[in-house]
Structures are given as structure tokens and as C-alpha cells.
Amino acid sequence: MVLAKRPVATEGTVRSWLLEGLQTDRKQIEHGPHVKHSWWRVMCLTGVDYFSTLGYQPGIAALAAGLLSPLATLFLVALTLLGALPVYRRVAAESPYGQGSIAMLEKLAPQWWGKFFVLALLGFAATDFVITMTLSAADATAHLLENPFMPDFLAGQRVIVTLVLLALLGGVFLMGFSEAIGLAVLLVFAYLALNAVVVATALVHVLQAPQVVVDWERALSVDFSSPLAMVGLSLLVMPKLALGMSGFETGVAVMPVVKGDIQERIAGTRRMLTAAALIMSVFLVFSSFVTTVLIPHQEFAEGGKASGRALAYLAHQYLGDWFGTAYDVSTIAILWFAGASAMAGLINLVPRYLPRYGMAPEWTGAVRPLVLVFSAIAFAITIIFDADVDAQGGAYATGVLVLMLSAAVAVTLSARKKRQHKATAGFAVITAVLAYTLVDNVIERPDGVKIASFFIAAIIVTSLISRATRSTELRVTEVHLDPLAEEFLNEASGDIHLIANEPHERDQAEYNDKLREQWINHRLRSAEPVLFVEVKVPDASEFETELRVKGEERYGHKILTIDSSAVPNSLAALLLHLRDRTGRAPHIYFHWAEGNPVVAMLRYLVFGGGDVPPLTREVLRKAEPDPERRPHVHVG
């Protein structure tokens, strides 16, 4: 029997449109949207973020590593293929419902500590995904405004242009998820094709003018004393290239969108991650090489023609302004839509955690309200940071690396638990490398941690407020009775009388004293058949639960026992279940609790107990508005 009430949409209203496709059933949320897509189509959705970094990654590598850019990029590719890819292939297998590495780590910390740990990781995920939207839109604006054909009236209007791009992105998702994937496929194929033309043309020019490679090698030999020095410096600057590793966490977050059953979903996601990593690695290696040997280094600096747009510089130089403009348009389009993968990650990740914790309203199970909320946040961040790409880069890299490190830790612990010694050692090495990369990035750009801390604090505060305001919801989805509990109810004739008992010693004296107390307080007839009901709270941090009521007989007394996250809510759900089963409102008997009511409310919010009688009545009042059908609560 399903008890918990859900938001109801009114036909033909704005509310109905906003809540279309609302998912509140946890099993349906895990299964994902009804419309599934082939892995390669989903790869394009996650790839708009990953592949779009080609728009600025070669320039970042050139500024960070100088002449060593190709070597530093090789190390980044090695970390991607030998580190991030194996880690996330395993995450896909062990967390196939879209929760990613966060779900694997959630099990390590018990109860409330686990919830706060997850909220902190969600803060970093929100940092990664939201900054992906704002940074990519800001970079698309930079490409747009730097094109020679752009009208003069847009000069200096980067904030307004960025806000327009973010609004258009939100509009695509308001139309529907499938429409977003269709647009992503078109943009990715066009962008990769144009990049292939630019890189191939640049390689032809290198082959036709091998002197540029000779000059590059000579410059390396002058600047560095030995190959070992080159390798060492490349490893030191490699963390600054971490933006080129984005997209993996989004890939596992959107797993429920991949077509097929669980095993097909896992296999498809692994193919998606592998294909994206290989494609990107090829482009990164060749693009860093051709941009390093063909573009004067001063052009990479701020204000230079290749600043943030190295491949676009080559497109204009070797293929003309018309092709260069076409390349600019595709770059602008994919950078604008790079936020789509982030938006997809958010609207798939949030419903799997916060509503389950009671830390977000049930409407967060619908796509459109989430799109509006995250679009508003993206607007605010764009205005705060003045649509500056560099100002947001530290936060972006921090979010990406924290999630990658958490995934590496999760799979290392998983392999250790399964006694897979070689896998444990390999993942431990990857964890160490990612930890070094993260620490180096944080030291270099501490603003990323500050921004992530703001997201974490905001998520925790709003989540706790939501949890408090939703605490008196029914919170029980179904009630199941075991055979002995069924027998007790079948034997009861007339009205059902329940005595709420907080179990202690559970000996004969406890039940006899409790029964005598209720006879005195409530004038129950001695011949009136009664059932004791006891609720234990193993984990008060959980929100929704299924009640499994077990029957037990001790010292001649019939007892119903329940394990649940909150005592009042469980008692209310049981009473409603008994009313619907028998057609008569049952009675439950309490004695008044002693102590401060404010302290009792805090105990209820944190430990699931508190002042049970009035809270039980309040839950019943909210769940059943008709007083005539409401079960009876007696307190004495």
C-alpha cells in the first residue's frame, strides 16, 4: 500500500507543464527517463563539455608549459587514459544508476556523517557543473566578440551576451531532454569535423616546413639542460592542464539515459567513456604540437590573437577568414552548449540524493523546475564574476579534480574490499597522482576552494531547512506486515487499540506496568484487546522508508515491532494502514513526555524520536485532512 503523498499537477496549468515527467518513485528515478538513447548519442551530450575544451586547452597548455606544451599534454593524456578512464569504467560498473562515485563513498560514513559527506561532494559537483555552464558560456562569448565580422555595438558587452547564451541553453532543456541530445549530436559531429580539418591542415604545413620543428627542438635544447629536466618540469606544470580532463563524472551521472538493461547500460557507458577519451586524446596531442610549433609564443598571452583560441588562430591563418568564421561559429556553439552536459549531470544527480534525504522538495524530481533553478544560479555567478573565463577557471578545475579524486578513492577501497591486490595498488597510484594534481591546483589557485566552499555551505543550509520543513510529512511509502502481525490483526475484533511503548528491558514487568498505566490514564476496559507497538530508529538520517511490521509475542502480550527513521511518522503510517485495512479508525495510546518541547523537537529532527504524541497527531493531521477519517490519538 502506497501512503506518501506526491505533488499533483493540475491539467492545463503552468504547474502541470513544470511538473511534467515528475519522478518521485525511487525505483523509477534509478531506472532513469522513459526515453533512452544509444551510447554514442549520450557521448555527444557529455562530449559537448569534454570536446569543447579544445577551444581553449592548447592555449592554456602553451601558457603553462611554453615549449614543453606537447610533452605536458602527453602526460595529461597518459593520466586520462591510464588513470581517469580505468577509474570511471569501474565506477560505471559499481554505480550504474547515475549516482557516480558519490554513492560508493556514501556507504563509508554512517548515518548523518554520511549525509553531510555526500552534501560536501555534491557541493563540489555543483561547483564543477555550474561553473562548466558559466565558464563555457563566457568563453563562447569571448570567441564571439573576437571574430572580425562581429558588429561593433557588441564590443564590451560580454556579461549581457553570456546571459543571453545561458538563457538559450536553459530554453533548450525546458523544451525537453531528447531535444538537447539531438542538438548535442549535431554540434559534436560538426565541431570534431572542423577540428580535424584544422589540425590536418596544420600538420601538412609542418610537413611542408620541417624547419619549424627543428627550431622548436633547438629552442628546447637551449632552454633545458637535459631530457630529464624537460620531463620534470612537464610533470610540475601538468596540473594546470587539468581542464582537459572534464566530462568523466558527467558521463557516469547520465548513465540512466543509456539504452538497455543494467548490463547493457554499463557496457554502453564504458564504450562511451573509452571512445570520448580516445578521441579527445588524439586531438589534444596533435593540437598542442601544431599550435606550439606554428604560433609565435607571444600570441598566446592575454590580448594576443591566439589567446584562448589557438586552433581558431590557425583556422583563420591557413584556411581563410570564411572557414575561420565557420570554425568560430562551431566553437561558439559547442562552448555555449557545453553547459548542456553540466545541466544534464545536475538534473540526473540531484533527484538521486537530496529528495531521498528529505533535503529538497519533491518537485526536484521534475526536469523543468531544476532547469530554472540552475539557470538562475548560473546567471548570478556570471554577474558576480563579470563573465571572466580566467576568474572561474580555478573553481572549475577544483571541482573536476575533487570528483576525480573521490572516484579514485572509491574504486581503490572497492578493490581492497574485494581483495583485488593488483587493482588496489594500481588505483592507489592513480589516487596519489590525482591528489598531487589537486593539491598543486589548489595552491596555485585557492579561489577554487573558496567558491566550492560557498556551494557546499549553501547546499547544507538549504538542505537542512528543507529537511526541517518536511519533517512532519508521512515519509512512509509502503507498509508490509509479516504473517504473525497479520494474524494479530485478523484476531482483533471491533476497534483496534495500540499502546505505544518505548522498548527498554522488554521484560514482563515492563509490559505489565505499561498496560496498567494505560488502564489508569485512559480507562481502558481490562477485557479490551490491545496490541503493543514499538519503533526502533537504526538510522534517523534516512527520510523515506518502507515499513516492515513484525509480529512478536512476549509474556502473553502481542507486540508489533518496526524499524524506521522516525517514530511519529511510522506510527502515523501504521495507523492509516490499519484504518484502510479494517475500515475503522484505530486508537493509539501514549503518556505525556517530560522535558523542554524545543529540545524534544531537536531530538525529533536529529534522532527521529522527540515528543512523539503531538508529532504523531500532526503527521496524521497533514496526511488525512478529514477529521472523521483520522485515527484517534490519546495522551494521558
Side-chain angles (χ1 to χ4, degrees), residues 106-124:
E106 180 185 14
K107 302 171 185 176
L108 301 178
Q111 302 188 5
W112 282 109
W113 292 112
K115 302 297 184 294
F116 285 118
F117 182 58
V118 167
L119 290 178
L121 288 178
L122 286 176
F124 283 108

Side-chain angles (χ1 to χ4, degrees), residues 476-487:
V476 171
T477 55
E478 294 187 66
V479 178
H480 306 280
L481 280 69
D482 76 353
L484 187 55
E486 291 275 5
E487 183 180 325

Side-chain angles (χ1 to χ4, degrees), residues 21 76 99 146 157 182 189 242 345 385 403 418 456 476 582 603 610:
L76 179 72
Q99 301 100 322
E146 290 168 9
Q157 302 297 323
F189 272 83
F385 287 98
L403 293 179
K418 296 177 181 179
I456 293 170
V476 171
T582 63
R603 285 179 53 223

Side-chain angles (χ1 to χ4, degrees), residues 463-479:
S463 295
L464 291 179
I465 292 173
S466 175
R467 176 74 179 237
T469 56
R470 295 187 61 196
S471 61
T472 54
E473 291 181 9
L474 197 57
R475 294 169 54 177
V476 171
T477 55
E478 294 187 66
V479 178

